[in-house]
């Protein structure tokens, strides 16, 4: 059995997971791709309409917090590898409800590790547990410097603390039980299908609807943005060629201060929507800062570049234009995800 035979992807109905599922289903017709997702507020099968009837794809609705059902699924489908993306992923929500983050990100990951290890420990087949993590585990940078794979973990939000904890459990399963694993820590992603709670899709949606653009603090916070398809390509490369027991940082070499990014987004949206120069910029509103707000994230992606030959393929202007076009062309998707509970979340977060 090869790790390619039966690939379990968790969180495949989410933003990044959806792009990874599509890439794998299309690229590996001889593999079977299982997408396991609990369909929380962030999970949306509309993201995968184009591939849902492919013969090498199966969706499994399950919660990684439920260890018994994960075990039953391993028994039934005999997964040869795991690419683990399922998580609670939004910093602001982690500030309001940290417990949900410990449950899914820590306990859920531990459940998967435990079940995968027990399932694989008595055979000599080729297996891999690939854990998808974030650069936020490293904490914050000052004005200079970059996160490398050896930067000490110093998480500052409940989200990053839960992801850091899950990374440590993955590594511990490798050291203690010999579980074959690999971890990657990526910078901020953007692109089609991102839930409009994160900066770029939230602001695109608000610009479309002429609503205020709530910039936290003075807006002088820096993030390193990567187009989601380039993240999916990196994940594929690491799955295929990454060294077992290693960590890889993935980043866009693309740092933006929030306020500059928001101004660029306004400019682009003015053009796309046929609005006069400066119109969307008037929506920019400085609001109360996020507690524990990390000043700057920036990734040194030299290792994955040198060892696996990866670099971003999409420039930021190209990626941003594609993203804006996608949201403008997918009004129904945007309407569906912003109906129901979204408004309650929005009012509570931004009142
Ligand atoms: P997302 O919030 O869009 O999607 C998460 C998915 O996980 C959803 O489909 C949700 O239904 C599912 N899920 C949540 N709890 C679950 C549970 N208990 N059981 C099963 N499924 C569950 O997240 P995303 O932005 O696509 O991020 C995916 C992964 O990548 C996460 O692990 C995140 O930490 C990591 N990451 C994200 C970014 C980013 O910029 N978005 C950057 C680096 C790393
Ligand atoms: P976000 O997309 O939530 O990603 P992360 O916190 O994981 O980096 O936020 C990106 C940056 O944008 C971060 O510095 C917080 C800021 N931000 C705002 O200023 N206003 C907002 O409404 C949101 C959601 C984020």
């Amino acid at each position: 059995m090869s790790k390619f035979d039966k690939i379990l992807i968790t969180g495949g109905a989410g933003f990044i997971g959806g792009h990874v599922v599509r890439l794998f289903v299309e690229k590996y017709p001889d593999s079977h791709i299982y997408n396991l997702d609990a369909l929380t507020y962030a999970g949306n099968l509309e993201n995968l309409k184009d591939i849902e009837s492919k013969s090498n794809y199966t969706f499994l609705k399950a919660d990684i917090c439920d260890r018994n059902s994960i075990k039953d699924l391993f028994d039934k489908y005999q997964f040869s590898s795991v690419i683990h993306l399922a998580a609670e992923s939004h910093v602001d929500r982690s500030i309001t409800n940290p417990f949900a983050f410990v449950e899914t990100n820590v306990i859920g990951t531990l459940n998967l590790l435990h079940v995968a290890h027990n399932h694989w420990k008595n055979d000599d087949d080729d297996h891999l547990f690939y854990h998808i993590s974030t650069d936020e585990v490293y904490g914050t940078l000052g004005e200079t410097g970059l996160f490398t794979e050896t930067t000490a973990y110093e998480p500052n939000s409940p989200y990053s603390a839960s992801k850091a904890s899950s990374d440590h459990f993955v590594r511990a399963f490798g050291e203690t039980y010999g579980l074959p694993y690999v971890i990657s820590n990526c910078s901020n992603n953007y692109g089609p299908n991102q839930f409009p709670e994160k900066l770029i899709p939230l602001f695109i949606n608000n610009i479309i609807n002429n609503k205020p653009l709530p910039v936290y603090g003075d807006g002088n916070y820096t993030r390193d943005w990567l187009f989601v398809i380039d993240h999916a390509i990196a994940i594929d490369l690491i799955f295929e060629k990454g060294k077992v027991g290693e960590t890889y940082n993935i980043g866009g070499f693309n740092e933006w201060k929030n306020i500059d990014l928001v101004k660029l987004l306004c400019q682009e949206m003015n053009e796309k929507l046929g609005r006069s120069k400066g119109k969307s910029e008037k929506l920019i509103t400085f609001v109360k800062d996020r507690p524990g707000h990390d000043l700057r994230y920036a990734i040194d992606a030299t290792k994955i570049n040198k060892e696996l030959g990866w670099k971003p393929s999409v420039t930021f202007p190209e990626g941003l234009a594609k993203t804006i076009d996608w949201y403008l062309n997918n009004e129904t998707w945007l309407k569906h995800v912003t109906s129901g509970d979204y408004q309650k979340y929005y009012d509570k977060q931004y009142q």
Side-chain angles (χ1 to χ4, degrees), residues 90-92 136 188 197-199 202-203 214-216 221 223 225 258 290 293 297 350:
H90 189 39
V91 173
D92 291 328
E136 303 191 24
N188 287 61
E197 61 184 354
K198 308 274 166 56
L199 181 73
L202 180 90
F203 280 33
V215 174
Y216 295 157
Y221 294 89
R223 297 292 182 264
W225 294 94
N258 291 342
R290 172 189 279 175
H293 200 165
Y297 304 144
Y350 295 102

Side-chain angles (χ1 to χ4, degrees), residues 54-254:
K54 297 265 181 173
S55 58
N56 66 334
Y57 171 72
T58 302
F59 174 68
L60 306 169
K61 185 170 187 308
D63 186 337
I64 58 169
C65 298
D66 178 355
R67 200 194 313 159
N68 289 334
S69 72
I70 300 301
K71 183 182 176 304
D72 290 347
L73 291 170
F74 262 81
D75 288 342
K76 182 166 178 193
Y77 294 105
Q78 306 284 320
F79 308 121
S80 47
S81 53
V82 177
I83 304 178
H84 175 37
L85 296 105
E88 287 292 336
S89 68
H90 189 39
V91 173
D92 291 328
R93 289 184 193 254
S94 81
I95 295 168
T96 318
N97 180 14
F99 290 95
F101 286 69
V102 173
E103 277 154 25
T104 287
N105 299 359
V106 185
I107 308 289
T109 301
L110 181 55
N111 285 338
L112 280 169
L113 288 165
H114 174 82
V115 173
H117 163 61
N118 277 334
H119 208 84
W120 297 338
K121 67 182 177 192
N122 294 322
D123 70 47
D124 294 326
D125 290 343
D126 172 33
H127 297 296
L128 184 66
F129 191 103
Y130 180 2
H131 179 61
I132 307 299
S133 193
T134 166
D135 60 355
E136 303 191 24
V137 298
Y138 300 122
T140 189
L141 291 163
E143 295 294 336
T144 58
L146 298 170
F147 295 134
T148 71
E149 288 79 0
T150 56
T151 302
Y153 276 32
E154 211 169 40
N156 290 318
S157 73
Y159 164 64
S160 53
S162 68
K163 290 297 289 186
S165 172
S166 64
D167 293 9
H168 291 322
F169 270 106
V170 174
R171 193 177 162 278
F173 265 67
E175 292 295 315
T176 307
Y177 308 112
L179 183 81
Y181 77 92
V182 68
I183 299 174
S184 58
N185 296 81
C186 188
S187 63
N188 287 61
N189 285 214
Y190 70 98
N193 300 108
Q194 188 169 27
F195 192 79
E197 61 184 354
K198 308 274 166 56
L199 181 73
I200 291 181
L202 180 90
F203 280 33
I204 291 176
N205 187 40
N206 284 13
I207 293 171
I208 293 173
N209 294 300
N210 271 308
K211 282 171 64 180
L213 306 177
V215 174
Y216 295 157
D218 59 7
N220 285 318
Y221 294 89
T222 300
R223 297 292 182 264
D224 171 0
W225 294 94
L226 178 68
F227 192 57
V228 63
I229 308 268
D230 277 325
H231 189 189
I233 292 170
I235 289 172
D236 173 37
L237 207 55
I238 291 170
F239 180 78
E240 194 183 348
K241 298 194 179 129
K243 272 199 215 126
V244 168
E246 295 277 323
T247 287
Y248 295 88
N249 279 356
I250 308 169
F253 303 102
N254 179 42

